[in-house]
Amino acid sequence: MSERYGLLRYFAGAVAARAGDEMSGPALMLAAFALAGSTADASALLAGITASAALGGPVLGVLLDRAERPGRLLAGALLLHATGLGAVLMGLGRWPFAVTVLVAGVTGLLGPALSGGWTAQLPRVVPDDRLPGANALDAMTFGVAALAGPALAGGVAEALGASTAVVVSVALITLALPAAWLLPARPSPATTRPPPARSPMPPGGHDPCGKRRLPVSRPHRSSSVAGDLLAGARIVAGRPALARATLASVVCCVAQGMLMACVPLLGERVLDGAGHAAVLLSCATLSALVADAALARSPRAISPRTLLWSGALVQAAALGLASASQGRPVVLVVAFLVLGIGEGPQLAALFAVRHREAPERLRSQIFTTGASLKITGFALGAAAGGPLAGRSLSGTLALASGTAALAALVLLAVPTAVTAPAGRDARPE
């Protein structure tokens, strides 16, 4: 019963924190526009708080991995993130705008705590046999947050003002603090079962044939944060399944960033108003939630690798359909529904690969680094897609489709069977 309560508490905290995070971006943009009266200032503020997350993720992950009680460090990061959002709101119209953007940038450094930093703690909440199903449910929390956050930001801003919307986002993140604080501690070395010895050796240092005993391998902890950062980068690059999944997810995020740059124009040209573009995003989020719910019922039915490459191909097909919609609203809505079917299970599969491949001592770093890389890919896609969409909307969507298809090629280019290094078992995909 306590195990079930722990899982419910984990998901309640994850939904609150991630909904507050998804709400904070649109709310800050609306507040900046209302107080400064400039769309350029509003977008600069959002860029500041988003871009810095790519820098803070790896370091935050290392600190979480080195903490005996990572939940308490995570709670501290959430508190500082919420405080930073409040400081940005206070600074709008009172401080020089450059100072406000700087505060937003510092606040954004802690953003990965709400995504990868939180998900990395899931194996301590559920036993191994329940992790695949819990992993699919965890991916659903991102969809719930993506659906609820912007809707709350718009609704509260319309009813009570944009500044109040920022305050509500801060309150949601703060509500997640108890759930983060109470996350389980890292298992102590005494409770961790050592790996079985390869061959029996007497304690004298020699085997019965008189040969010298090989030294016993012990887990190594890097003495510095920089050393752990390097070790984590080697794990991501050196394990083929993890490297493929990471690269493919980043490439898909580039495609998603291109799409996001097209969404306002799609709303304006196809749905008779840029404000109606939120309907399209809601369609994608809803279908992703349905797909994740189906996956949670049978989490082992399809391998993570298959979900990763098929999810990329489904997204490529959806973006191609959007490119060919030619002003037909029904076709565009169908395209976004198909897009969510590809996005949702792909995220759950990415989490499954990270949980399987990441060593315990580097788990948080690998999750937060992956989140940072995805944020960077999304930002690059949006930056490239903006100017291109102004010239050719259908051409930009077609390019996004090709980019998503490239992610599938990344996953399919390397054979499934990978020869493991000596002394290590190959990990099934």
Side-chain angles (χ1 to χ4, degrees):
M1 193 67 178
S2 60
E3 197 174 89
R4 178 176 177 81
Y5 173 69
L7 186 59
L8 291 175
R9 184 172 56 209
Y10 170 93
F11 285 130
V15 169
R18 289 164 181 167
D21 187 43
E22 291 285 348
M23 184 180 182
S24 65
L28 278 178
M29 282 194 69
L30 291 171
F33 181 74
L35 295 173
S38 168
T39 55
D41 286 352
S43 60
L45 191 64
L46 183 61
I49 201 169
T50 302
S52 60
L55 301 175
V59 176
L60 178 62
V62 169
L63 296 177
L64 286 169
D65 284 327
R66 296 167 75 90
E68 293 300 323
R69 296 297 302 252
R72 295 182 179 180
L73 179 59
L74 188 61
L78 295 179
L79 179 61
L80 290 174
H81 188 70
T83 303
L85 291 173
V88 171
L89 178 61
M90 289 175 51
L92 285 172
R94 296 182 181 90
W95 303 340
F97 187 70
V99 175
T100 308
V101 172
L102 178 61
V103 174
V106 174
T107 302
L109 292 172
L110 300 168
L114 287 77
S115 53
W118 197 293
T119 298
Q121 312 310 315
L122 185 58
R124 300 191 186 100
V125 178
V126 295
D128 289 346
D129 60 336
R130 292 179 57 195
L131 184 57
N135 190 59
L137 293 173
D138 188 45
M140 287 179 65
T141 66
F142 285 89
V144 171
L147 187 64
L152 277 173
V156 174
E158 185 71 24
L160 302 172
S163 296
T164 305
V166 179
V167 173
V168 173
S169 72
V170 170
L172 283 172
I173 294 173
T174 306
L175 281 175
L177 291 178
W181 183 269
L182 295 172
L183 282 167
R186 184 182 310 284
S188 63
T191 61
T192 304
R193 186 172 63 184
R198 294 186 188 173
S199 59
M201 288 283 185
H206 293 75
D207 67 11
C209 298
K211 293 182 181 178
R212 217 177 145 189
R213 186 179 64 177
L214 295 176
V216 177
S217 174
R218 291 181 174 86
H220 174 67
R221 161 68 67 189
S222 299
S223 59
S224 67
V225 171
D228 279 356
L229 283 171
L230 183 58
R234 286 173 176 166
I235 291 292
V236 173
R239 296 193 175 180
L242 184 58
R244 282 197 305 269
T246 300
L247 180 57
S249 69
V250 172
V251 174
C252 277
C253 276
V254 174
Q256 292 161 15
M258 291 180 184
L259 172 65
M260 188 59 66
C262 297
V263 164
L265 283 175
L266 286 171
E268 183 178 7
R269 297 181 185 180
V270 182
L271 302 179
D272 298 325
H276 297 156
V279 174
L280 298 176
L281 298 177
S282 297
C283 288
T285 303
L286 285 172
S287 61
L289 285 172
V290 172
D292 279 333
L295 180 63
R297 295 178 65 87
S298 302
R300 292 184 174 86
I302 307 174
S303 71
R305 183 171 184 262
T306 300
L307 286 172
L308 283 165
W309 67 256
S310 62
L313 287 180
V314 169
Q315 292 176 64
L319 291 166
L321 183 61
S323 174
S325 62
Q326 297 181 351
R328 290 172 290 179
V330 174
V331 176
L332 194 60
V333 168
V334 169
F336 273 79
L337 288 170
V338 174
L339 182 74
I341 294 172
E343 283 183 357
Q346 187 187 54
L347 181 62
L350 175 64
F351 288 167
V353 172
R354 286 179 185 165
H355 281 307
R356 186 188 69 208
E357 298 289 327
E360 173 61 28
R361 71 182 186 90
L362 297 172
R363 184 182 302 276
S364 296
Q365 184 199 343
I366 286 171
F367 269 86
T368 54
T369 298
S372 297
L373 291 172
K374 290 182 66 178
I375 290 170
T376 302
F378 186 91
L380 290 174
L388 291 173
R391 297 183 179 183
S392 173
L393 183 57
S394 61
T396 305
L397 290 169
L399 179 61
S401 175
T403 304
L406 179 62
L409 291 178
V410 167
L411 287 157
L412 294 171
V414 180
T416 302
V418 179
T419 303
R424 215 171 86 190
D425 293 334
R427 289 171 171 77
E429 294 191 52

